[in-house]
């Protein structure tokens, strides 16, 4: 199945609902995108609305991936501006998500490749992302060229006694 990418789609209520649903499904499948399963759409919605507001009101950007044949939302990510003049030469990738039905199909790598292509077109020097360590994500992002540049041990507490490292990854575009 081919993907169609759209940068900065119209930020409609329908799109927000699709992204909230995607986020919920990814979280409930064990995805490390800010929640711990089980989670409901109602629990995810306020966080999704805040993330979406950065796109609606600026300066953040949204990249969505849809199935070319059905238009179904397959994945998305947010380019988050640092809102600091000395850091305008790079952006933070947030909420990199691919629907669980499509994970393992290469669509996550395609989504990252499209994000890189866009960032290069903007003339950015790099892309940064953070992830929850201990879940194999370092290898996934590493295959797309990201390098681990920092780690905060135990910074992410998903439950009492269950802590994970906060891992900082960087894709140098210079």
């Amino acid at each position: 199945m081919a993907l169609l990418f759209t940068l900065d789609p119209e930020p409609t209520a329908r799109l927000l609902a699709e992204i909230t649903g995607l986020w919920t499904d990814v979280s409930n499948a064990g995805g490390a995108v800010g929640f711990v399963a089980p989670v409901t759409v109602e629990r995810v919605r306020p966080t999704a609305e805040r993330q979406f507001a950065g796109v609606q009101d600026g300066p953040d950007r949204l990249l969505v991936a849809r199935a070319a044949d059905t238009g179904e939302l397959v994945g998305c990510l947010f380019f988050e501006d640092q809102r600091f003049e000395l850091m305008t030469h790079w952006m933070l990738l947030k909420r990199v998500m691919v629907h669980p039905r499509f994970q393992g199909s290469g669509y996550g790598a395609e989504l990252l490749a499209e994000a890189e292509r866009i960032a290069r077109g903007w003339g950015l020097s790099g892309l940064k992302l953070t992830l929850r360590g201990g879940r194999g994500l370092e290898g996934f992002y590493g295959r797309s060229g990201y390098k681990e540049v920092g780690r905060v041990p135990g910074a992410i507490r998903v439950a009492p006694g269950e802590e994970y490292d906060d891992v900082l990854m960087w894709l140098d575009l210079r």
Side-chain angles (χ1 to χ4, degrees), residues 81 84-91 119 122-127 170 173-174:
D81 183 271
F84 182 59
E85 185 177 334
L86 301 180
M87 294 181 178
T88 59
H89 59 291
W90 62 272
M91 292 185 95
W122 291 335
L124 295 180
S125 296
L127 290 172
W170 176 258
L173 300 175
R174 292 174 287 186

Side-chain angles (χ1 to χ4, degrees), residues 15-93:
L15 180 59
L16 174 60
E18 286 181 295
I19 289 173
T20 304
L22 170 67
W23 202 333
T24 303
D25 291 344
V26 169
S27 297
N28 284 328
V33 287
F35 296 95
V36 177
V39 69
T40 63
V41 167
E42 291 73 26
R43 171 78 175 91
V44 173
R45 185 177 294 116
T47 303
E49 288 172 345
R50 283 191 302 276
Q51 187 75 55
F52 209 66
V55 172
Q56 288 177 303
D57 303 331
D60 299 339
R61 312 289 293 271
L62 170 61
L63 176 63
V64 299
R66 294 189 178 276
D69 55 348
T70 66
E72 178 182 4
L73 182 65
V74 171
C76 70
L77 61 77
F78 292 86
F79 292 94
E80 193 169 274
D81 183 271
Q82 297 308 289
R83 294 160 174 80
F84 182 59
E85 185 177 334
L86 301 180
M87 294 181 178
T88 59
H89 59 291
W90 62 272
M91 292 185 95
L92 177 66
L93 293 187

Side-chain angles (χ1 to χ4, degrees), residues 31-36 130-135 137 156 158 164-165 167:
V33 287
F35 296 95
V36 177
T130 62
L131 59 90
R132 189 183 305 169
R135 305 180 58 86
L137 296 171
I156 301 171
V158 299
Y164 296 90
D165 294 353
V167 181

Side-chain angles (χ1 to χ4, degrees), residues 9 18-19 23 26 38 40 55 58 75 94 97-98 103 118 120 126 129 132 146 148 160 165:
E18 286 181 295
I19 289 173
W23 202 333
V26 169
T40 63
V55 172
K94 297 280 286 200
M97 298 183 279
V98 172
Q103 291 177 3
I118 290 167
R120 286 183 185 281
L129 59 84
R132 189 183 305 169
Y146 288 79
E148 182 176 329
D165 294 353

